[in-house]
Amino acid sequence: PVNVRDLDISWKGDGLTAGTVGFPSSFDVTFRDADGNITTPASAQIQIRGPNGLVDAPLHKNEDGTYTVKYAPLSAGDHAIE
């Protein structure tokens, strides 16, 4: 199995920098192996932690091997991706 910690991870999308409480936000995640190939690790998970705890942020696998993370902030303030 592939260890996610051994992969190059890139992120893009508006949901990385802004969100509105109670409204959906999203961003895309791409995992690449040491050779630069897109890979889809079975154990991939993303957590978003807001001021009041974890926010539901499931990964949705796209046809091109990337993932989209969709979430809705539960409270105002800084959120961290873990």
Side-chain angles (χ1 to χ4, degrees):
V2 175
N3 185 336
V4 174
R5 296 183 192 280
D6 294 334
L7 300 175
D8 178 38
I9 303 171
S10 60
W11 320 75
K12 69 177 182 176
D14 294 336
L16 291 169
T17 58
T20 302
V21 173
F23 288 90
S25 219
S26 66
F27 57 90
D28 295 322
V29 182
T30 303
F31 298 95
R32 294 187 184 274
D33 63 19
D35 296 321
N37 300 309
I38 291 177
T39 186
T40 53
S43 63
Q45 293 181 348
I46 299 290
Q47 290 185 324
I48 298 178
R49 185 173 301 278
N52 296 327
L54 291 177
V55 177
D56 186 37
L59 282 171
H60 301 276
K61 187 175 176 185
N62 301 315
E63 289 182 20
D64 64 358
T66 64
Y67 291 87
T68 298
V69 178
K70 296 181 180 180
Y71 71 101
L74 301 176
S75 57
D78 290 339
H79 287 62
I81 300 170
E82 303 174 344

